[in-house]
Amino acid sequence: MTPRILLVEDTPDIALWLGTALRQGGMQVEFATDGHAADRCLQPGHGFDAVLLDLQLPGQDGLSVLQALRGRGDAVPVLVLTARASVPDRVLGLNMGADDYLPKPFDLSELEARLQVLLRRHGRAKTTALRWGPLEMQPENGTAQLHGQVLALTQREAAALRVLLSSPQRTVSKEQLHTEVFVGDDTGLDAVEVLIYRLRKKLESSAASQGRVPEVVITTFRGMGYMLTSPVGTP
Amino acid sequence: MTPTPAPSNRAVASLRRRLLSWILLPLAALIGVNAWVGYGNAVQAANEAYDRSLYLAARTLAEELAWRDGRVQLDVMKAAGYLFENHTGSRLFYKVTTPGGQWLAGVAALPDAPVRAQSAVKYFALVQFDDGVYLNQPVRLAQLTHVMEDAGLADPLIKITVAETMEARQQLIQHILWDTLGSQGLLLLAAAGLVIWGVQRGIRPLEAFRQQLASKADDDFSPIQPPDLPRELRPLIETLNSYLDRLGRLIDIRKRFLDNAAHQLRTPLTALKTQLALAQRNTEPEQAQTLLTAARQTTEDAVRLTEQLLAMTRVEHAREMHSPQTVDLVALARRVTQEHLVRAHQLGDDLGLEAQVVQCEVQGVDLLLHEALSNLIDNAIHHGPVGTHITVRVGHGWFEVEDDGPGIAPEHQAHVFERFYRAAPSGVTGSGLGLAIVKEIASQHGAVVSVRSPLRHGRGTAIRMRWPAV
């Protein structure tokens, strides 16, 4: 099923090119160029899977569109795009029911990634699988594949991988991994390091067995924690 | 700026009006009181003089009275010179009675002056003065008690009453009144003229100053030098001049900032246009790809520059906009480092965090401190080669960003915090604003920024923001 996106943006240039990019990414895009049109498009039964909402709009501003939408009890995911940068706006946007925001100018790839996260979180993505490049995981049973090849993971390894996959582009601290993986266990933090070491080995050997260079690695960031990265540019 | 001469005009006018009213109104009141008192005194003196002559007239009459043929008789001829050819044109009447009121001579219808405990003229014990009416005219009465010993009367005392019509007195009083009014009025007019003249002269430098200020060009911040300025106004002018001086310098800085900013913004945009035009012309996909990649990089630079220009403006206006809150530097460093992690990693740099304390709270504006640290990290990523090791470090009351990049030469270190100062070799793009922003934020927070470079093997820089009070 193709996700249906409403793009609310009054600058024609941005609307046109953003729409083109999203269509190329396999989405169905509809446009609203002012607040009133957006409000009309978002009446009950609209059927959109996500809304990209610019805040500065002619007619009715983006925040009041959002307010009206949430006032109707509509939970469609909303990603706010804004050229305003001050914090109160950000807080307001999120308090008023925006699911995420991106300050302009944003990177196209970042927008696509955030949109995917929103769609997945709301169960509207093509698949509910967690994905990072060629690495895929079914969260319900904990099976993971690299380039389609199933990884033989222990329960704890799978749990750790799931935590890493659920936090794309953000580090997961050792403490956080310990809390989430070793629930109710009194092992020390060193156990996390051992676990990550084993997970790395399994990813490496899986790639090697398929005759590929590693495209997914778990990188340690000093003082910050672990994050899935790819050594050959973003997936 | 719109010139607003109207309020200053009004201020000058009202000062003049105020001075005039403060001086003229009390002066007029004083002159009025003076005139009233002087007039009263003059009237009293005139009355006393007339009363005295009336008394003399009564005395003369008394002396010319004679007892003849069994009754009182007046030698009118003798008395006439005194009595009836009076120097004024007032008319005189008389009567003579016994103390009991029995008529002896003269006009019987003249009213009596009542005997009062206090006489109008104190030293004449035997004379009473009063105002009365005779023939429907107001008259002044003098009643003299006289002893007539040779008369055949049971009681030798007789009363001589003299009445004088008031024309002469009233004329004199009127004369005095007009005299007083005339002289005091002239005095008042002269005083008003002098005061107005003085105030006008006193205010003239202020007016000249106003005109000088009003005729100033919008971009003229040179000090104002009004001629013959009163000493009282000098502090005002000095304050204004020092304000003009500060304003001028501030606007100068702004202007240079704008000039620089315009230049800085045009540079990447020009490059971008060229790159895109070339990409259109080159049909070879590979060449076009290379140019597009370059164009993307140029855009990144333009974005970074715009962000920094905006940040600078934001920071400058932050003082009024934000109230400080408690900020945990460790949490802040974690957050900001996180935001730069992916980009640093993609560029092949190693960015890490080193917290030497669990928590360090300072009073500050989160948004601004975020901006400062973000700029330090961005600077390290931007100016270091691929593979630079960057460490964000937090200690007690400070944070710093250390890198093992090329370092900053000692001769540049004093200047790196100046706006648009660029220590980097010309090949490296940069706005020269990043560290200026950091410095501005630090000074707003009462923190100090310091540079250490080189750190080891002739490389590396550490820039630290430290709160001396913590």
Side-chain angles (χ1 to χ4, degrees):
Chain A
M1 198 184 88
T2 321
R4 240 179 110 223
I5 311 288
L6 177 65
L7 175 54
V8 188
E9 168 66 64
D10 65 315
T11 317
D13 261 0
I14 297 180
L16 174 65
W17 295 113
L18 203 52
T20 310
L22 293 175
R23 280 199 186 109
Q24 282 180 4
M27 293 177 189
Q28 187 187 337
V29 183
E30 285 171 39
F31 299 96
T33 54
D34 65 64
H36 295 300
D39 202 47
R40 275 197 304 279
C41 291
L42 288 170
Q43 290 305 309
H46 55 72
F48 288 109
D49 296 303
V51 180
L52 293 177
L53 180 65
D54 186 16
L55 284 190
Q56 282 106 321
L57 291 172
Q60 187 182 350
D61 83 25
L63 281 178
S64 65
V65 172
L66 184 58
Q67 218 167 8
L69 181 72
R70 294 301 187 229
R72 293 190 286 268
D74 196 326
V76 60
V78 175
L79 174 55
V80 164
L81 308 175
T82 175
R84 299 184 209 166
S86 56
V87 157
D89 280 354
R90 294 183 173 186
V91 173
L92 187 62
L94 292 175
N95 279 355
M96 288 178 69
D99 296 84
D100 202 355
Y101 67 87
L102 260 183
K104 290 177 181 175
F106 45 79
D107 262 342
L108 186 58
S109 54
E110 175 137 28
L111 175 78
E112 287 166 339
R114 302 266 191 114
L115 193 55
Q116 282 298 341
V117 169
L118 279 189
L119 289 171
R120 186 166 57 229
R121 201 188 294 157
H122 287 76
R124 295 171 200 246
K126 282 177 266 187
T127 142
T128 54
L130 295 166
R131 192 190 295 273
W132 176 261
L135 180 62
E136 210 177 295
M137 183 181 223
Q138 278 69 45
E140 60 279 5
N141 56 17
T143 58
Q145 298 95 25
L146 186 67
H147 296 289
Q149 187 188 73
V150 176
L151 296 168
L153 299 177
T154 67
Q155 210 177 333
R156 278 183 176 157
E157 286 162 0
L161 192 59
R162 189 173 45 77
V163 173
L164 289 174
L165 274 167
S166 324
S167 168
Q169 308 265 345
R170 289 188 70 83
T171 51
V172 180
S173 70
K174 204 187 275 185
E175 291 78 8
Q176 192 186 341
L177 268 176
H178 188 264
T179 325
E180 297 214 19
V181 177
F182 297 94
V183 191
D185 227 331
D186 54 353
T187 46
L189 283 176
D190 294 345
V192 175
E193 279 174 32
V194 177
L195 189 66
I196 293 293
Y197 172 78
R198 277 200 243 119
L199 208 46
R200 276 182 181 144
K201 281 281 169 226
K202 286 191 177 173
L203 286 172
E204 272 170 35
S205 58
S206 172
S209 74
Q210 297 177 59
R212 293 171 183 269
V213 290
E215 284 178 39
V216 180
V217 291
I218 302 170
T219 308
T220 311
F221 290 89
R222 287 182 293 129
M224 297 296 291
Y226 305 101
M227 186 165 82
L228 289 173
T229 61
S230 84
V232 286
T234 17
Chain B
M1 280 191 287
T2 45
T4 49
S8 64
N9 245 346
R10 197 162 54 232
V12 169
S14 98
L15 179 61
R16 181 183 300 139
R17 209 178 315 144
R18 234 182 288 174
L19 277 176
L20 288 182
S21 57
W22 281 344
I23 298 171
L24 282 184
L25 288 183
L27 190 64
L30 279 176
I31 287 176
V33 168
N34 185 39
W36 188 72
V37 169
Y39 169 72
N41 286 341
V43 166
Q44 200 187 345
N47 266 331
E48 275 176 20
Y50 272 92
D51 280 357
R52 179 184 285 268
S53 85
L54 200 59
Y55 162 71
L56 285 177
R59 277 267 307 269
T60 312
L61 199 68
E63 274 156 23
E64 301 307 326
L65 282 176
W67 187 261
R68 248 175 286 153
D69 307 330
R71 61 188 188 100
V72 177
Q73 290 202 345
L74 176 67
D75 187 342
V76 179
M77 294 309 286
K78 274 188 172 175
Y82 274 114
L83 287 178
F84 308 106
E85 302 291 316
N86 193 290
H87 55 284
T88 58
S90 302
R91 284 174 297 153
L92 273 179
F93 307 95
Y94 79 97
K95 74 169 177 180
V96 182
T97 58
T98 62
Q102 190 192 346
W103 178 85
L104 294 172
V107 183
L110 268 190
D112 282 319
V115 178
R116 274 180 274 174
Q118 283 275 307
S119 146
V121 183
K122 287 166 192 150
Y123 49 92
F124 297 139
L126 294 176
V127 71
Q128 304 282 344
F129 292 97
D130 198 12
D131 295 317
V133 176
Y134 175 63
L135 296 177
N136 294 324
Q137 281 189 66
V139 289
R140 182 72 173 167
L141 295 164
Q143 193 165 59
L144 185 71
T145 307
H146 187 68
V147 183
M148 207 169 179
E149 285 175 347
D150 53 344
L153 292 168
D155 189 345
L157 291 181
I158 55 166
K159 282 198 299 186
I160 299 155
T161 305
V162 183
E164 183 189 34
T165 55
M166 305 288 275
E167 292 99 332
R169 280 176 199 240
Q170 270 160 1
Q171 255 175 27
L172 182 61
I173 286 169
Q174 229 162 45
H175 184 71
I176 292 171
L177 177 67
W178 284 120
D179 218 41
T180 311
L181 282 182
S183 64
Q184 301 290 321
L186 272 179
L187 182 63
L188 184 61
L189 277 179
L194 280 173
V195 166
I196 289 171
W197 182 73
V199 168
Q200 294 279 37
R201 269 197 72 97
I203 280 178
R204 199 180 298 161
L206 208 58
E207 183 64 23
F209 165 59
R210 185 193 72 77
Q211 279 174 2
Q212 227 179 332
L213 196 59
S215 62
K216 252 177 136 42
D218 277 355
D219 56 348
D220 177 12
F221 296 100
S222 59
I224 294 172
Q225 295 296 349
D228 50 279
L229 191 69
R231 188 151 37 94
E232 289 80 357
L233 283 178
R234 216 164 287 157
L236 176 73
I237 306 295
E238 276 161 14
T239 312
L240 184 75
N241 278 339
S242 96
Y243 172 68
L244 275 175
D245 185 47
R246 273 178 289 142
L247 197 65
R249 261 183 294 167
L250 194 70
I251 287 184
D252 200 43
I253 291 172
R254 285 282 155 88
K255 210 153 60 179
R256 262 185 292 148
F257 180 77
L258 262 185
D259 287 349
N260 267 316
H263 172 253
Q264 299 273 342
L265 276 173
R266 283 197 185 108
T267 310
L269 291 179
T270 312
L272 193 60
K273 279 178 83 168
T274 317
Q275 286 158 347
L276 290 177
L278 275 176
Q280 268 186 324
R281 238 178 265 168
N282 280 285
T283 41
E284 297 275 335
E286 215 164 286
Q287 273 179 319
Q289 270 301 323
T290 314
L291 282 163
L292 285 177
T293 309
R296 195 171 158 173
Q297 182 54 49
T298 312
T299 314
E300 296 290 336
D301 290 345
V303 167
R304 180 170 182 268
L305 179 67
T306 312
E307 293 294 350
Q308 284 187 334
L309 284 172
L310 289 175
M312 192 79 214
T313 331
R314 212 159 45 226
V315 168
E316 279 183 332
H317 294 102
R319 231 180 272 266
E320 311 90 71
M321 277 167 52
H322 302 285
S323 46
Q325 69 263 43
T326 305
V327 180
D328 175 15
L329 292 183
V330 178
L332 176 82
R334 193 174 298 281
R335 196 149 40 93
V336 183
T337 306
Q338 181 71 255
E339 287 171 14
H340 287 80
L341 216 51
V342 174
R343 191 165 70 94
H345 182 71
Q346 282 171 358
L347 291 170
D349 293 340
D350 164 46
L351 174 61
L353 175 71
E354 198 181 302
Q356 297 182 353
V357 288
V358 180
Q359 192 185 17
C360 174
E361 290 187 335
V362 297
Q363 288 301 305
V365 180
D366 186 80
L367 176 74
L368 296 183
L369 294 176
H370 184 289
E371 191 79 53
L373 183 54
S374 190
N375 267 289
L376 289 178
I377 298 174
D378 189 64
N379 217 52
I381 295 174
H382 197 79
H383 292 290
V386 171
T388 301
H389 297 273
I390 302 162
T391 304
V392 179
R393 205 170 284 130
V394 188
H396 188 67
W398 55 266
F399 62 68
E400 70 175 14
V401 175
E402 184 193 303
D403 65 57
D404 59 355
I408 301 173
E411 67 265 28
H412 290 310
Q413 285 182 18
H415 301 288
V416 286
F417 295 108
E418 292 169 13
R419 289 174 189 192
F420 299 111
Y421 185 85
R422 296 190 42 216
S426 57
V428 180
T429 60
S431 64
L433 272 178
L435 292 180
I437 293 170
V438 174
K439 169 101 176 181
E440 177 73 35
I441 292 172
S443 78
Q444 285 187 18
H445 282 79
V448 270
V449 196
S450 56
V451 189
R452 281 176 292 135
S453 181
L455 296 172
R456 56 191 80 86
H457 314 302
R459 296 180 66 80
T461 310
I463 301 180
R464 180 181 289 203
M465 190 157 152
R466 185 171 55 85
W467 277 255
V470 177

